[in-house]
Amino acid sequence: MSSSAAHSETAEPTAEDGRHARRERNRLAVVDAMLQLYRDGNLDPSSDEIAERAGLSPRSLFRYFEDLDDLVRVAVSRQYERVRPLADIDESTDRPVADRVLHIVERRLGLFDAMASAGKVSRLREPFQPLIAQQLGQARLFWRRQVQQLFAPEFAAMAPARAEAALATIDVLISFESVQLLRDDQGLARPRLEAALVDSITRLLEA
């Protein structure tokens, strides 16, 4: 085989790899532009605004995404993946209940702060985009199970009906929606919000 033929065989996949890498860079640039616009408070940016922020032409957006709904879904998923480690709870049920309550409240508030506007967008889009609705359903189930597992000793000491009601109430208290209402609509700053949640949850868990 001639050297030129060998070079041709190796150059073609390299060029293809370059095109793929460039496509992925542009795709991520669009997603990150969308998330930046969300952080700026623009929860429903136009394709022109997204393209301008990403440094691309509006027409080129739809080389990478089927439509704006597809882009929203990918952007929300990317933000959720970024903040996923903040959702973990590493407090043992052997710890005093006060420590566990404070731990889960701090973790949830940190998680929701990191989710920021993407959390609002996902809830605005939930009724219209089944994939986002599915993601949120899975997240809510995960968070409910965290509460159930973290306070299993306290729930076990209650009558079943009371345990069920306490679990449901605590789950709602430290949900994204409740925290958003308390923080944004009621104007509770982080220290007061944290104290209010800790106090409410502690009272619900009292024997």
Side-chain angles (χ1 to χ4, degrees):
M1 180 183 294
S2 68
S3 60
S4 61
H7 177 74
S8 176
E9 288 182 3
T10 58
E12 187 173 349
T14 301
E16 179 63 29
D17 289 345
R19 284 192 293 271
H20 178 74
R22 185 166 58 253
R23 175 182 173 81
E24 284 302 302
R25 283 197 303 271
N26 288 342
R27 181 178 166 86
L28 288 178
V30 172
V31 171
D32 287 341
M34 185 75 139
L35 292 173
Q36 288 168 10
L37 288 164
Y38 288 165
R39 286 193 290 271
D40 291 346
N42 186 350
L43 302 185
D44 190 23
S46 67
S47 56
D48 287 348
E49 290 171 322
I50 300 164
E52 181 180 1
R53 183 64 64 95
L56 301 170
S57 68
R59 181 183 298 180
S60 68
L61 289 185
F62 302 106
R63 296 176 190 167
Y64 312 114
F65 302 94
E66 295 177 8
D67 51 31
L68 282 177
D69 283 346
D70 183 37
L71 172 53
V72 169
R73 180 185 61 78
V74 174
V76 168
S77 295
R78 179 166 170 79
Q79 183 66 2
Y80 272 63
E81 284 301 313
R82 284 175 171 173
V83 304
R84 174 63 182 80
L86 298 177
D88 293 334
I89 298 294
D90 55 9
E91 194 80 3
S92 168
T93 55
D94 294 334
R95 298 283 294 166
V97 66
D99 292 348
R100 284 177 279 143
V101 170
L102 180 60
H103 181 72
I104 196 169
V105 168
E106 288 178 338
R107 295 295 284 182
R108 289 291 174 85
L109 293 182
L111 171 65
F112 296 155
D113 283 346
M115 286 166 59
S117 297
K120 296 180 182 179
V121 171
S122 64
R123 283 152 181 83
L124 291 172
R125 297 278 183 160
E126 182 181 9
F128 313 106
Q129 293 188 242
L131 289 175
I132 287 181
Q134 181 182 24
Q135 284 180 324
L136 283 177
Q138 292 171 345
R140 288 174 179 134
L141 180 60
F142 173 79
W143 292 330
R144 181 182 175 88
R145 286 175 176 167
Q146 274 189 334
V147 174
Q148 191 172 30
Q149 292 167 3
L150 187 61
F151 302 114
E154 287 69 33
F155 293 138
M158 299 177 187
R162 185 185 168 203
E164 183 180 359
L167 169 60
T169 306
I170 293 170
D171 184 38
V172 170
L173 274 173
I174 50 175
S175 67
F176 182 91
E177 291 83 354
S178 290
V179 169
Q180 182 184 350
L181 285 170
L182 290 167
R183 182 186 57 208
D184 299 343
D185 291 16
Q186 301 299 320
L188 291 184
R190 173 67 180 260
R192 289 182 61 205
L193 174 57
E194 182 178 299
L197 292 173
V198 166
D199 181 64
S200 298
I201 294 170
T202 301
R203 289 175 183 274
L204 285 163
L205 292 171
E206 288 176 350

